[in-house]
Amino acid sequence: MGRSDTWAPRLMPPGLLRRLDTAVARLSQPDDMAAIDFRVPPGEAALIAPDSLSWKIFKNPVALFTGGVAAVILELAEPSVRSGVWEHSSFRREPVRRLQRTGQAAMVTVYGPRSKAEAMIAGVNRMHARVTGETPAGTPYRADDVALLDWVQATATFGFASGYSRFVRPLDDAALSRAFAETQAAARLYGATGAPASLAEWDGLLERTRPRLEASPIIFEFLELMRTSPALPRGLRPLQRLMVRGAVELIPGVVRHRVGLGDAYGASRAEVAVLRRIGGAAERILLPSAPAVQACRRLGVPVSTLTEV
């Protein structure tokens, strides 16, 4: 094992390292799903290259949590996506398990061997093909509607990249565009054939979608679930609540206004500063069970690649 595989864990006491490593494994490996070993098969490439910005973004837990919550807020603001998610998923009944499944899907898409990622995405697509219904306003929807898939893919990329840029390391417009471009192969597999490939395309999609976005009690129910569900170990629950407030800060102002997320739901300047310190510290801690670290070992890539600017 090379030096790059061992330097990060020495930054913290062994006991704390074990607790954090267990927490990461719990969030990314749902109890009711088969565990995924990102170290195998040796040498098999992922959908996204290890020197990508995406590999850096998705390894940071602050970017992942805040960005994921922000993405769901944006999804729930769209009536058809909201109905599909809330009526056909386990968010309300089992929010932590749903988070685990979503987290695992994200990790496999970014870090998993291509064959495993393609098989998982095909399974998601089969499930989406069965999800149909009507919104409360009577608008029919299908979960495999390309327009809805494009919105979900776009909001996910925006959320994760924005979480990284706001709370970990600032990204300029070119880097944010790169984040969108890197998701194109996975987006096409998911059926999101019109997903934005640049920041400018995201801005255009947001502007076109904005008239359809609306407030809903479901958005606030979701936020309460994210604040109170035991997604993190007990000692880290204050951080969980802080990250939910940080996620609200990532929502574009025009959307926050439309859905009624006032200042009371966001983070203060002091809280944003705390999140930045935690996000920055998380950049220097590479846990052994983290999918990013395991994927580096599968490909024979130095783990230090994940922290290179």
Side-chain angles (χ1 to χ4, degrees):
M1 183 179 295
R3 182 181 177 186
S4 61
D5 287 322
T6 61
W7 68 272
R10 289 203 297 267
L11 291 174
M12 62 172 59
L16 180 56
L17 174 63
R18 285 193 296 271
R19 288 180 59 195
L20 285 174
D21 202 38
T22 299
V24 169
R26 177 174 177 267
L27 282 175
S28 61
Q29 301 285 6
D31 293 338
D32 61 341
M33 296 179 67
I36 294 176
D37 188 344
F38 289 84
R39 296 170 297 182
V40 296
E44 184 172 341
L47 291 173
I48 302 175
D51 62 350
S52 64
L53 179 58
S54 297
W55 272 50
K56 296 176 175 62
I57 289 173
F58 279 80
K59 65 111 175 34
N60 189 289
V62 175
L64 201 62
F65 193 100
T66 59
V69 171
V72 176
I73 293 171
L74 289 167
E75 291 166 17
L76 295 178
E78 206 287 330
S80 293
V81 176
R82 179 171 66 245
S83 293
V85 168
W86 218 243
E87 294 173 8
H88 298 274
S89 78
S90 58
F91 250 132
R92 181 177 291 173
R93 300 187 308 276
E94 300 175 311
V96 173
R97 187 158 294 175
R98 171 65 191 218
L99 276 179
Q100 291 173 325
R101 291 172 179 168
T102 302
Q104 186 184 77
M107 294 299 102
V108 173
T109 299
V110 175
Y111 301 116
R114 178 181 290 270
S115 60
K116 193 165 293 185
E118 290 175 343
M120 180 206 70
I121 292 171
V124 171
N125 291 343
R126 287 192 295 271
M127 179 188 68
H128 283 167
R130 299 192 296 268
V131 174
T132 63
E134 287 188 355
T135 68
T139 302
Y141 67 82
R142 295 183 57 88
D144 59 1
D145 183 312
V146 173
L148 301 186
L149 292 170
D150 288 347
W151 179 245
V152 170
Q153 179 69 36
T155 55
T157 303
F158 169 80
F160 295 129
S162 296
Y164 190 84
S165 182
R166 187 72 180 274
F167 302 125
V168 183
R169 178 168 63 88
L171 302 176
D172 60 19
D173 287 355
L176 290 170
S177 283
R178 179 183 171 192
F180 280 100
E182 288 175 354
T183 65
Q184 287 299 291
R188 287 192 293 271
L189 289 174
Y190 276 110
T193 54
S198 67
L199 181 61
E201 291 184 9
W202 156 253
D203 289 339
L205 177 61
L206 178 60
E207 182 62 25
R208 294 191 301 275
T209 308
R210 183 167 57 87
R212 299 204 305 272
L213 305 181
E214 62 183 25
S216 169
I218 289 174
I219 294 175
F220 301 97
E221 183 179 351
F222 165 72
L223 287 175
E224 184 62 19
L225 286 170
M226 292 301 95
R227 281 191 290 263
T228 59
S229 300
L232 297 182
R234 185 179 299 275
L236 295 178
R237 301 284 167 75
L239 173 59
Q240 178 178 327
R241 294 188 290 271
L242 176 58
M243 288 195 292
V244 172
R245 294 194 294 276
V248 174
E249 290 298 309
L250 302 178
I251 304 301
V254 65
V255 180
R256 282 188 67 173
H257 177 73
R258 286 187 72 89
V259 303
L261 288 173
D263 292 343
Y265 291 94
S268 67
R269 287 186 179 180
E271 289 174 325
V272 168
V274 170
L275 281 173
R276 284 174 176 161
R277 287 197 293 273
I278 296 172
E283 280 291 273
R284 302 187 296 274
I285 300 170
L286 303 176
L287 300 171
S289 71
V293 172
Q294 293 189 2
C296 282
R297 291 172 178 160
R298 183 181 82 246
L299 295 174
V301 173
V303 175
S304 57
T305 301
L306 298 169
T307 59
E308 293 173 354
V309 177

